[in-house]
Amino acid sequence: GDPHRNTTTEVSVKITDINDNIPHVEDNSPTMFRVREDTPVHGIIYNSFLSVDADIGLNGEAYFSVVSESSSPNLPFTITTDGNLTVSSRLDFETLNAFAMTIRVTDRGPSPLSSVFSLLIYIEDVNDNPPLFSKRVYDLEVKENSPVGTKFGQLQATDADTFPNDQFTFSLHSLRIPSTSDDHVFIVTDEGELIVNTTILDREQFSTYNLLVEARDYGGLRSFATVIVNVVDENDNAPLFSLGGYEFSVNENTTGASQALEISSSTSAASILASDADVGDNARVYYS
């Protein structure tokens, strides 16, 4: 109309959110982790990942899950819906020491949107394996009268851990047989060499020794093995007659002094016996 008339009022316009923003993990979130292999099952590695979503309400709420088909098989880790990275099964560095893990962040909107991010997880070795001998029982030989310092055997062992947890030394734990012998008849070096450590190694006194040897790593884990040492005979004993002297009577009319008294190692007209403390061929006695 004429003249023009007008009025004013306030109008409130409310924008209704739709789910049009993709949730994602915070940009500064870590993507690589190092985890000790003795971390317990259900132990928390990282607490916790946070998601970012510009939407509101359910459209802006997000949860975390593992993308199993994009992660390492037999993955020993999981993530809770609220973003805590945890251990789900026992870790073993010696079996597998690195894993790839893909995580999905999904919102709770009616038409859910999601994104993924990747993690690398490395397992750190701990000293959980003792050194193990290559044999439970070593059967060795050493000649009697061998001089001090004679090497007659080498121990071997392995440790499944990695440096420095795989470093170990050998030692003589005890001399079990004979119990009356000097414990220092033999020595075992740090490197596992068995060495004669006595000037009197006499088979006729002790023919067999039974040693308990030890392999111990620097963390104190250890294992044991048995070493049987057989002392090999040397021809170091002269035969000895059973008596200090012998007296025999022969007939005066016996012809031939050599026929008067027949002596041999097997049969004799008169008994003359000798023995030798050695063994085998070294103990065979001949008479003349």
Side-chain angles (χ1 to χ4, degrees):
D2 188 13
H4 299 291
R5 308 243 182 220
N6 60 64
T7 186
T8 62
T9 188
E10 291 185 0
V11 177
S12 179
V13 178
K14 185 177 181 180
I15 307 299
T16 302
D17 183 51
I18 62 172
N19 192 20
D20 58 349
N21 289 280
I22 298 173
H24 61 88
V25 70
E26 281 189 328
D27 291 337
N28 62 347
S29 298
T31 58
M32 186 184 74
F33 296 89
R34 295 189 178 275
V35 183
R36 286 172 55 95
E37 67 173 320
D38 59 353
T39 302
V41 175
H42 306 309
I44 296 177
I45 301 171
Y46 185 70
N47 184 13
S48 66
F49 289 102
L50 297 177
S51 63
V52 177
D53 192 323
D55 293 319
I56 61 174
L58 292 178
N59 295 333
E61 291 183 14
Y63 64 91
F64 296 86
S65 61
V66 178
V67 183
S68 58
E69 62 270 17
S70 300
S71 301
S72 297
N74 302 315
L75 187 70
F77 306 101
T78 190
I79 192 166
T80 62
T81 56
D82 55 353
N84 290 331
L85 182 64
T86 65
V87 177
S88 59
S89 60
R90 180 178 175 273
L91 305 178
D92 186 14
F93 174 89
E94 290 73 35
T95 301
L96 194 58
N97 55 35
F99 296 89
M101 187 175 185
T102 302
I103 306 297
R104 175 175 283 118
V105 189
T106 307
D107 66 29
R108 299 182 185 277
S111 299
L113 300 176
S114 66
S115 65
V116 297
F117 63 99
S118 297
L119 303 178
L120 286 176
I121 305 175
Y122 297 97
I123 310 302
E124 293 184 335
D125 185 41
V126 298
N127 190 26
D128 60 345
N129 291 281
L132 298 177
F133 282 94
S134 60
K135 300 177 182 179
R136 295 290 299 273
V137 178
Y138 291 81
D139 199 342
L140 304 176
E141 291 184 346
V142 61
K143 291 183 178 180
E144 66 174 329
N145 303 317
S146 294
V148 173
T150 299
K151 175 186 172 182
F152 64 93
Q154 176 68 54
L155 303 175
Q156 293 183 332
T158 57
D159 192 314
D161 292 318
T162 58
F163 184 85
N165 297 326
D166 63 345
Q167 302 297 293
F168 57 87
T169 58
F170 296 96
S171 64
L172 174 61
H173 184 270
S174 62
L175 176 62
R176 298 191 290 190
I177 298 175
S179 59
T180 58
S181 177
D182 182 2
D183 284 350
H184 303 291
V185 172
F186 307 107
I187 59 175
V188 177
T189 67
D190 288 349
E191 295 76 25
E193 293 181 344
L194 286 97
I195 297 175
V196 175
N197 193 44
T198 181
T199 57
I200 306 174
L201 191 60
D202 187 3
R203 188 206 65 83
E204 288 72 43
Q205 182 180 12
F206 297 116
S207 61
T208 303
Y209 294 84
N210 189 306
L211 316 178
L212 184 65
V213 293
E214 173 184 303
R216 180 192 293 260
D217 67 25
Y218 295 161
L221 299 182
R222 60 182 182 169
S223 64
F224 298 94
T226 297
V227 177
I228 299 172
V229 181
N230 299 295
V231 181
V232 178
D233 185 52
E234 292 278 287
N235 192 20
D236 59 347
N237 291 279
L240 298 175
F241 284 102
S242 58
L243 298 177
Y246 296 86
E247 182 177 334
F248 300 99
S249 298
V250 295
N251 295 326
E252 62 177 342
N253 60 353
T254 300
T255 60
S258 62
Q259 298 176 4
L261 188 62
E262 182 180 318
I263 301 172
S264 71
S265 60
S266 58
T267 61
S268 60
S271 295
I272 295 179
L273 297 177
S275 60
D276 193 311
D278 294 318
V279 295
D281 289 341
N282 296 332
R284 295 182 183 276
V285 177
Y286 300 89
Y287 300 88
S288 61

